[in-house]
Amino acid sequence: MPLRVVSYNIHGQRDDTAALAAVIREAAPDVVIVQEGPRRFRWRQRSATLAASFGLVVAAGGLPSLGNLLLTSLRVRVVDTRCRRFPLTPGRHLRGAAYADCRVGTSGWFTVAGSHLSTDAVERPGQAELFRRDVAAAPHPAIAAADLNEEPGGPAWTTVARGLTDAAVAAERDERFTYSCADPRRRIDALFVDPRITVIDYDVVDTPLTRRASDHFPVLVDLLVPATG
């Protein structure tokens, strides 16, 4: 079954929110994996409002996953959800991850996972290992996206990527930078898939709208999810 997925660090909605909504509506995804989504006061209402602005619904995340938010279209059926909080290093920022088991069509089962790892190089590998274990234990072929705060070849990136396909590499577009919109020079936002999932297309969406919407570019991937179960 075809599936369109966007992974997007939305910068806490501190930029042009109208442009942000327009970017997602134009992409018309089935799943959006959000980093820096609502995580504090009135987070449920704010998450629902964000999803509605995209023409989507909330699947999982928010405060329980420290701002990681999974949104889906009505084409996707969400069957189960869970969240994780990574251990807190004193003086650092509390982070986590969100997971949802989903079905598209009658037999296209998949698990979607989203996280945002630490900016601290000492703390980041441990978070990456916990995220990798969760993805490896997923009951269905996994789609895992994250702002890794690290470029390919780093220890956290290598850990998360283990056993998975880097969608950018599969599409031969790994030279495309995702951060920052003002001065693109780093690929720190990644989307990985289970080898059973086929990568059809991959793009880092660099347009006047995306440059207004956030400090990160969105990652847009078209996939084929295998019939399972």
Side-chain angles (χ1 to χ4, degrees), residues 79-97:
V79 178
D80 193 20
T81 66
R82 52 206 170 273
C83 293
R84 173 193 279 278
R85 293 187 175 189
F86 299 135
L88 176 63
T89 301
R92 301 300 304 173
H93 189 62
L94 188 60
R95 297 181 185 271

Side-chain angles (χ1 to χ4, degrees), residues 112-173:
V112 60
S115 189
H116 184 184
L117 302 189
S118 176
T119 58
D120 181 69
V122 175
E123 185 180 36
R124 196 162 52 238
Q127 296 175 350
E129 177 60 25
L130 291 173
F131 187 55
R132 183 201 68 80
R133 290 180 190 176
D134 289 345
V135 171
H140 308 293
I143 300 164
D147 175 352
L148 297 172
N149 269 313
E150 182 177 285
E151 295 171 71
W157 185 294
T158 301
T159 295
V160 174
R162 192 181 309 151
L164 300 174
T165 299
D166 183 333
V169 173
E172 299 183 348
R173 292 181 180 169

